[in-house]
Amino acid sequence: MTTPLKDRHRAIWASGDYATVAADIIPSLGPLLVEACGIGPRQRVLDVAAGTGNAAIPAALTGADVTASDLTPALLETGERLAGARGAKLTWAEADAEALPFADGEYDCVLSCVGVMFAPSHQVAADELVRVCRPGGTIGLLSWTPAGFIGQLFAVMKPFAPVPPPGAQPAPLWGDEAHVRTLLGDRVTDVTVRTQRLRVEAFAAADGFREYFKRNYGPTLAVYRALQDDPARTAELDAALDALAARFRAADGSMDWEYLLVTAARADG
């Protein structure tokens, strides 16, 4: 699907260097989600909003038959190279999380690691996750929480960012248990929910987080680009991000980033 909003999302995630962010900051999250979903040989697995394959590649390395789907072709191209370097064989498919080009019940497991949460229409995306999962199959989601560091990053950037289109919902809501339970409803059973934290030790300098995300993280780059002709507002955002990092920064320079891990079974019928 090509619309101005989808084109904007593709451009945001193609900017910067998300593969570096995934490798430097969150390499443990994909394998953790794969393990939580119990993925193994010969299972048919779909990773929605897969990015560069943080979860899809470790899923494929278990022997599962994996399709990694994402809206942004540039991320898929990078992911395919990374998979080749690790000897992982899987299918890469350009796909909108809100209109997946896959059949009803096609997959034994449908998962997303800090990916589907960025689809603007949460209920539409959730409906698609459920639709393509077979009855009895597993749905697994790992999302940043609203109160955690990345959720607060988006809250801090919001006053500086362009106004979102009507109907677009904040991504970190996927990290709210009540919101996710409402999205999935009675179409799933055996729901397990865990709130956990990722220890991040990548930013030794006080301004390390800000400078790293300004270089590499698409959503942060997009906000700074919108302010490129306004040095005063740019300085305000710099200060706001430094204050955010200081709020979460421990004495040893590390940070704990909170996320919600949800697994559920697609209900029969």
Side-chain angles (χ1 to χ4, degrees):
M1 178 186 296
T2 298
T3 67
L5 176 59
K6 301 298 181 182
D7 289 343
R8 177 184 169 193
H9 279 208
R10 287 187 186 92
I12 286 172
W13 291 105
S15 66
D17 188 350
Y18 186 73
T20 292
V21 176
D24 289 349
I25 311 299
I26 61 168
S28 63
L29 295 188
L32 185 150
L33 180 58
V34 168
E35 182 179 4
C37 291
I39 293 171
R42 294 178 295 281
Q43 282 189 310
R44 299 164 300 165
V45 177
L46 175 65
D47 186 357
V48 178
T52 54
N54 183 257
I57 292 172
L61 291 172
T62 71
D65 179 6
V66 179
T67 297
S69 68
D70 199 276
L71 185 68
T72 306
L75 297 183
L76 296 173
E77 291 166 8
T78 300
E80 190 166 10
R81 291 195 298 271
L82 294 172
R86 294 180 62 182
K89 296 182 179 180
L90 59 158
T91 299
W92 300 86
E94 183 178 351
D96 182 352
E98 296 177 358
L100 294 171
F102 309 112
D104 295 359
E106 185 171 345
Y107 294 95
D108 300 309
C109 179
V110 180
L111 56 81
S112 188
C113 182
V114 295
V116 74
M117 64 182 291
F118 293 101
S121 179
H122 294 186
Q123 190 61 65
V124 173
D127 292 348
E128 285 293 272
L129 296 176
V130 174
R131 179 184 66 80
V132 300
C133 185
R134 68 165 175 81
T138 301
I139 296 172
L141 303 167
L142 193 154
S143 308
W144 302 118
T145 66
F149 182 77
I150 296 296
Q152 289 298 294
L153 168 66
F154 280 92
V156 166
M157 293 194 301
K158 183 178 179 179
F160 300 90
V163 176
Q169 295 174 277
L173 279 178
W174 279 86
D176 178 85
E177 178 180 349
H179 183 67
V180 176
R181 286 183 180 273
T182 297
L183 292 176
L184 299 176
D186 60 4
R187 298 171 299 176
V188 298
T189 62
D190 302 322
V191 179
T192 64
V193 179
R194 287 181 278 166
T195 300
Q196 301 184 162
R197 290 174 175 81
L198 172 71
R199 175 60 59 91
V200 176
E201 300 176 322
F203 310 117
D207 64 352
F209 158 75
R210 167 169 53 87
E211 290 304 310
Y212 183 93
F213 266 54
K214 284 174 73 171
R215 288 194 309 271
N216 297 306
Y217 192 57
T220 305
L221 277 163
V223 176
Y224 273 99
R225 285 190 182 125
L227 300 175
Q228 61 186 349
D229 297 324
D230 191 337
R233 289 288 282 165
T234 297
E236 286 180 34
L237 179 55
D238 283 347
L241 293 185
D242 286 348
L244 171 68
R247 178 154 58 96
F248 280 83
R249 186 179 173 89
D252 64 0
S254 67
M255 290 189 255
D256 287 335
W257 294 8
E258 187 179 78
Y259 61 87
L260 189 75
L261 178 61
V262 178
T263 60
R266 165 79 190 272
D268 294 333

